[in-house]
PDB file of all heavy atoms in Angstrom:
ATOM      1  N   ASN A  17     101.010  41.622 103.389  1.00  0.00           N
ATOM      2  CA  ASN A  17     102.322  41.311 102.953  1.00  0.00           C
ATOM      3  C   ASN A  17     102.436  41.782 101.457  1.00  0.00           C
ATOM      4  O   ASN A  17     101.523  42.472 101.010  1.00  0.00           O
ATOM      5  CB  ASN A  17     102.581  39.842 102.998  1.00  0.00           C
ATOM      6  CG  ASN A  17     102.615  39.333 104.424  1.00  0.00           C
ATOM      7  OD1 ASN A  17     103.434  39.682 105.241  1.00  0.00           O
ATOM      8  ND2 ASN A  17     101.718  38.427 104.714  1.00  0.00           N
ATOM      9  N   LEU A  18     103.533  41.550 100.826  1.00  0.00           N
ATOM     10  CA  LEU A  18     103.686  41.971  99.414  1.00  0.00           C
ATOM     11  C   LEU A  18     103.558  40.698  98.478  1.00  0.00           C
ATOM     12  O   LEU A  18     104.251  39.737  98.689  1.00  0.00           O
ATOM     13  CB  LEU A  18     105.021  42.646  99.159  1.00  0.00           C
ATOM     14  CG  LEU A  18     105.302  43.862 100.039  1.00  0.00           C
ATOM     15  CD1 LEU A  18     106.673  44.451  99.652  1.00  0.00           C
ATOM     16  CD2 LEU A  18     104.198  44.916  99.944  1.00  0.00           C
ATOM     17  N   GLY A  19     102.581  40.738  97.624  1.00  0.00           N
ATOM     18  CA  GLY A  19     102.325  39.631  96.689  1.00  0.00           C
ATOM     19  C   GLY A  19     100.978  39.727  96.040  1.00  0.00           C
ATOM     20  O   GLY A  19     100.091  40.524  96.428  1.00  0.00           O
ATOM     21  N   ASP A  20     100.730  38.972  94.938  1.00  0.00           N
ATOM     22  CA  ASP A  20      99.516  39.075  94.160  1.00  0.00           C
ATOM     23  C   ASP A  20      98.277  38.933  95.027  1.00  0.00           C
ATOM     24  O   ASP A  20      97.315  39.608  94.867  1.00  0.00           O
ATOM     25  CB  ASP A  20      99.552  38.031  93.096  1.00  0.00           C
ATOM     26  CG  ASP A  20     100.433  38.388  91.883  1.00  0.00           C
ATOM     27  OD1 ASP A  20     100.704  39.570  91.731  1.00  0.00           O
ATOM     28  OD2 ASP A  20     100.923  37.375  91.184  1.00  0.00           O
ATOM     29  N   ALA A  21      98.292  37.933  95.984  1.00  0.00           N
ATOM     30  CA  ALA A  21      97.113  37.606  96.729  1.00  0.00           C
ATOM     31  C   ALA A  21      96.690  38.734  97.618  1.00  0.00           C
ATOM     32  O   ALA A  21      95.518  38.817  98.073  1.00  0.00           O
ATOM     33  CB  ALA A  21      97.223  36.311  97.570  1.00  0.00           C
ATOM     34  N   TYR A  22      97.627  39.663  97.953  1.00  0.00           N
ATOM     35  CA  TYR A  22      97.288  40.803  98.818  1.00  0.00           C
ATOM     36  C   TYR A  22      96.887  42.054  98.063  1.00  0.00           C
ATOM     37  O   TYR A  22      96.405  43.035  98.647  1.00  0.00           O
ATOM     38  CB  TYR A  22      98.562  41.172  99.683  1.00  0.00           C
ATOM     39  CG  TYR A  22      98.985  39.962 100.561  1.00  0.00           C
ATOM     40  CD1 TYR A  22      99.945  39.117 100.123  1.00  0.00           C
ATOM     41  CD2 TYR A  22      98.350  39.734 101.807  1.00  0.00           C
ATOM     42  CE1 TYR A  22     100.278  38.004 100.891  1.00  0.00           C
ATOM     43  CE2 TYR A  22      98.748  38.698 102.620  1.00  0.00           C
ATOM     44  CZ  TYR A  22      99.721  37.849 102.115  1.00  0.00           C
ATOM     45  OH  TYR A  22     100.077  36.712 102.880  1.00  0.00           O
ATOM     46  N   PHE A  23      96.904  41.956  96.705  1.00  0.00           N
ATOM     47  CA  PHE A  23      96.595  43.107  95.895  1.00  0.00           C
ATOM     48  C   PHE A  23      95.507  42.750  94.855  1.00  0.00           C
ATOM     49  O   PHE A  23      95.404  43.334  93.744  1.00  0.00           O
ATOM     50  CB  PHE A  23      97.780  43.713  95.263  1.00  0.00           C
ATOM     51  CG  PHE A  23      98.757  44.267  96.191  1.00  0.00           C
ATOM     52  CD1 PHE A  23     100.088  43.658  96.363  1.00  0.00           C
ATOM     53  CD2 PHE A  23      98.431  45.401  96.958  1.00  0.00           C
ATOM     54  CE1 PHE A  23     100.969  44.136  97.262  1.00  0.00           C
ATOM     55  CE2 PHE A  23      99.353  45.875  97.866  1.00  0.00           C
ATOM     56  CZ  PHE A  23     100.619  45.292  98.056  1.00  0.00           C
ATOM     57  N   GLY A  24      94.771  41.648  95.109  1.00  0.00           N
ATOM     58  CA  GLY A  24      93.686  41.316  94.299  1.00  0.00           C
ATOM     59  C   GLY A  24      94.069  40.740  92.893  1.00  0.00           C
ATOM     60  O   GLY A  24      93.332  40.897  91.933  1.00  0.00           O
ATOM     61  N   ASN A  25      95.358  40.266  92.768  1.00  0.00           N
ATOM     62  CA  ASN A  25      95.863  39.827  91.493  1.00  0.00           C
ATOM     63  C   ASN A  25      96.120  38.385  91.404  1.00  0.00           C
ATOM     64  O   ASN A  25      96.766  37.960  90.385  1.00  0.00           O
ATOM     65  CB  ASN A  25      97.117  40.670  91.222  1.00  0.00           C
ATOM     66  CG  ASN A  25      97.496  40.716  89.710  1.00  0.00           C
ATOM     67  OD1 ASN A  25      96.637  40.599  88.830  1.00  0.00           O
ATOM     68  ND2 ASN A  25      98.782  40.783  89.482  1.00  0.00           N
ATOM     69  N   ALA A  26      95.728  37.574  92.311  1.00  0.00           N
ATOM     70  CA  ALA A  26      95.922  36.190  92.285  1.00  0.00           C
ATOM     71  C   ALA A  26      94.822  35.468  91.599  1.00  0.00           C
ATOM     72  O   ALA A  26      93.640  35.981  91.579  1.00  0.00           O
ATOM     73  CB  ALA A  26      96.131  35.560  93.709  1.00  0.00           C
ATOM     74  N   THR A  27      95.064  34.241  91.048  1.00  0.00           N
ATOM     75  CA  THR A  27      94.077  33.592  90.216  1.00  0.00           C
ATOM     76  C   THR A  27      93.220  32.611  91.063  1.00  0.00           C
ATOM     77  O   THR A  27      92.134  32.240  90.684  1.00  0.00           O
ATOM     78  CB  THR A  27      94.716  32.868  89.104  1.00  0.00           C
ATOM     79  OG1 THR A  27      95.750  31.883  89.641  1.00  0.00           O
ATOM     80  CG2 THR A  27      95.478  33.791  88.107  1.00  0.00           C
ATOM     81  N   THR A  28      93.744  32.107  92.159  1.00  0.00           N
ATOM     82  CA  THR A  28      92.991  31.081  92.959  1.00  0.00           C
ATOM     83  C   THR A  28      92.420  31.625  94.279  1.00  0.00           C
ATOM     84  O   THR A  28      91.504  31.027  94.809  1.00  0.00           O
ATOM     85  CB  THR A  28      93.940  29.905  93.311  1.00  0.00           C
ATOM     86  OG1 THR A  28      95.122  30.460  93.991  1.00  0.00           O
ATOM     87  CG2 THR A  28      94.406  29.273  92.084  1.00  0.00           C
ATOM     88  N   GLY A  29      92.962  32.778  94.810  1.00  0.00           N
ATOM     89  CA  GLY A  29      92.388  33.304  96.032  1.00  0.00           C
ATOM     90  C   GLY A  29      93.015  34.642  96.382  1.00  0.00           C
ATOM     91  O   GLY A  29      94.204  34.745  96.193  1.00  0.00           O
ATOM     92  N   ASN A  30      92.225  35.545  96.836  1.00  0.00           N
ATOM     93  CA  ASN A  30      92.750  36.854  97.228  1.00  0.00           C
ATOM     94  C   ASN A  30      92.280  37.218  98.617  1.00  0.00           C
ATOM     95  O   ASN A  30      91.216  36.913  99.093  1.00  0.00           O
ATOM     96  CB  ASN A  30      92.247  37.876  96.257  1.00  0.00           C
ATOM     97  CG  ASN A  30      92.931  37.825  94.858  1.00  0.00           C
ATOM     98  OD1 ASN A  30      94.132  38.225  94.770  1.00  0.00           O
ATOM     99  ND2 ASN A  30      92.200  37.441  93.904  1.00  0.00           N
ATOM    100  N   PHE A  31      93.203  37.958  99.304  1.00  0.00           N
ATOM    101  CA  PHE A  31      92.870  38.375 100.710  1.00  0.00           C
ATOM    102  C   PHE A  31      92.187  39.634 100.790  1.00  0.00           C
ATOM    103  O   PHE A  31      92.416  40.614 100.022  1.00  0.00           O
ATOM    104  CB  PHE A  31      94.282  38.583 101.409  1.00  0.00           C
ATOM    105  CG  PHE A  31      94.985  37.233 101.748  1.00  0.00           C
ATOM    106  CD1 PHE A  31      96.195  36.911 101.030  1.00  0.00           C
ATOM    107  CD2 PHE A  31      94.545  36.381 102.677  1.00  0.00           C
ATOM    108  CE1 PHE A  31      96.821  35.806 101.222  1.00  0.00           C
ATOM    109  CE2 PHE A  31      95.221  35.201 102.908  1.00  0.00           C
ATOM    110  CZ  PHE A  31      96.376  34.812 102.212  1.00  0.00           C
ATOM    111  N   VAL A  32      91.241  39.718 101.693  1.00  0.00           N
ATOM    112  CA  VAL A  32      90.556  40.943 102.039  1.00  0.00           C
ATOM    113  C   VAL A  32      91.342  41.591 103.212  1.00  0.00           C
ATOM    114  O   VAL A  32      91.530  40.963 104.261  1.00  0.00           O
ATOM    115  CB  VAL A  32      89.083  40.701 102.555  1.00  0.00           C
ATOM    116  CG1 VAL A  32      88.438  41.971 102.968  1.00  0.00           C
ATOM    117  CG2 VAL A  32      88.335  39.990 101.492  1.00  0.00           C
ATOM    118  N   ASP A  33      91.904  42.738 102.966  1.00  0.00           N
ATOM    119  CA  ASP A  33      92.920  43.307 103.923  1.00  0.00           C
ATOM    120  C   ASP A  33      92.668  44.795 104.130  1.00  0.00           C
ATOM    121  O   ASP A  33      91.831  45.455 103.344  1.00  0.00           O
ATOM    122  CB  ASP A  33      94.238  43.040 103.375  1.00  0.00           C
ATOM    123  CG  ASP A  33      95.210  42.569 104.520  1.00  0.00           C
ATOM    124  OD1 ASP A  33      95.060  43.121 105.664  1.00  0.00           O
ATOM    125  OD2 ASP A  33      96.011  41.658 104.248  1.00  0.00           O
ATOM    126  N   LEU A  34      93.341  45.381 105.081  1.00  0.00           N
ATOM    127  CA  LEU A  34      93.245  46.773 105.367  1.00  0.00           C
ATOM    128  C   LEU A  34      94.653  47.312 105.874  1.00  0.00           C
ATOM    129  O   LEU A  34      95.244  46.693 106.760  1.00  0.00           O
ATOM    130  CB  LEU A  34      92.221  47.082 106.494  1.00  0.00           C
ATOM    131  CG  LEU A  34      92.074  48.546 106.857  1.00  0.00           C
ATOM    132  CD1 LEU A  34      91.424  49.325 105.706  1.00  0.00           C
ATOM    133  CD2 LEU A  34      91.275  48.746 108.110  1.00  0.00           C
ATOM    134  N   ASP A  35      95.064  48.378 105.275  1.00  0.00           N
ATOM    135  CA  ASP A  35      96.226  49.095 105.712  1.00  0.00           C
ATOM    136  C   ASP A  35      95.859  50.553 106.069  1.00  0.00           C
ATOM    137  O   ASP A  35      94.772  50.978 105.779  1.00  0.00           O
ATOM    138  CB  ASP A  35      97.304  49.246 104.590  1.00  0.00           C
ATOM    139  CG  ASP A  35      97.867  47.832 104.152  1.00  0.00           C
ATOM    140  OD1 ASP A  35      98.047  47.022 105.077  1.00  0.00           O
ATOM    141  OD2 ASP A  35      98.086  47.639 103.004  1.00  0.00           O
ATOM    142  N   VAL A  36      96.798  51.301 106.640  1.00  0.00           N
ATOM    143  CA  VAL A  36      96.630  52.706 106.846  1.00  0.00           C
ATOM    144  C   VAL A  36      97.897  53.439 106.443  1.00  0.00           C
ATOM    145  O   VAL A  36      98.966  52.930 106.699  1.00  0.00           O
ATOM    146  CB  VAL A  36      96.288  52.964 108.353  1.00  0.00           C
ATOM    147  CG1 VAL A  36      97.411  52.565 109.306  1.00  0.00           C
ATOM    148  CG2 VAL A  36      96.012  54.469 108.580  1.00  0.00           C
ATOM    149  N   LEU A  37      97.651  54.524 105.700  1.00  0.00           N
ATOM    150  CA  LEU A  37      98.806  55.344 105.312  1.00  0.00           C
ATOM    151  C   LEU A  37      98.863  56.467 106.391  1.00  0.00           C
ATOM    152  O   LEU A  37      97.934  57.211 106.624  1.00  0.00           O
ATOM    153  CB  LEU A  37      98.499  56.009 103.930  1.00  0.00           C
ATOM    154  CG  LEU A  37      99.481  57.079 103.458  1.00  0.00           C
ATOM    155  CD1 LEU A  37     100.902  56.479 103.306  1.00  0.00           C
ATOM    156  CD2 LEU A  37      98.985  57.717 102.222  1.00  0.00           C
ATOM    157  N   ALA A  38     100.048  56.544 107.007  1.00  0.00           N
ATOM    158  CA  ALA A  38     100.260  57.474 108.055  1.00  0.00           C
ATOM    159  C   ALA A  38     101.281  58.543 107.610  1.00  0.00           C
ATOM    160  O   ALA A  38     102.134  58.344 106.816  1.00  0.00           O
ATOM    161  CB  ALA A  38     100.865  56.779 109.337  1.00  0.00           C
ATOM    162  N   ALA A  39     101.001  59.765 108.169  1.00  0.00           N
ATOM    163  CA  ALA A  39     101.919  60.933 107.713  1.00  0.00           C
ATOM    164  C   ALA A  39     102.183  61.769 108.994  1.00  0.00           C
ATOM    165  O   ALA A  39     101.382  61.861 109.927  1.00  0.00           O
ATOM    166  CB  ALA A  39     101.080  61.913 106.743  1.00  0.00           C
ATOM    167  N   GLY A  40     103.423  62.285 109.038  1.00  0.00           N
ATOM    168  CA  GLY A  40     103.773  63.134 110.160  1.00  0.00           C
ATOM    169  C   GLY A  40     104.612  62.361 111.227  1.00  0.00           C
ATOM    170  O   GLY A  40     105.194  61.324 110.963  1.00  0.00           O
ATOM    171  N   PRO A  41     104.670  62.975 112.467  1.00  0.00           N
ATOM    172  CA  PRO A  41     105.553  62.451 113.480  1.00  0.00           C
ATOM    173  C   PRO A  41     105.298  61.030 113.875  1.00  0.00           C
ATOM    174  O   PRO A  41     106.293  60.339 114.304  1.00  0.00           O
ATOM    175  CB  PRO A  41     105.281  63.406 114.658  1.00  0.00           C
ATOM    176  CG  PRO A  41     104.741  64.678 114.064  1.00  0.00           C
ATOM    177  CD  PRO A  41     103.981  64.188 112.841  1.00  0.00           C
TER     178      PRO A  41
END
């Protein structure tokens, strides 16, 4: 999602996550 905890910027807990950048059709 979008927020501090999803980008390693929260002070009390951060999520370990994975996305994929896709290109093309």
Side-chain angles (χ1 to χ4, degrees):
N17 294 296
L18 301 184
D20 284 336
Y22 299 93
F23 297 113
N25 198 31
T27 57
T28 56
N30 285 291
F31 290 108
V32 179
D33 225 321
L34 180 71
D35 294 321
V36 60
L37 174 64

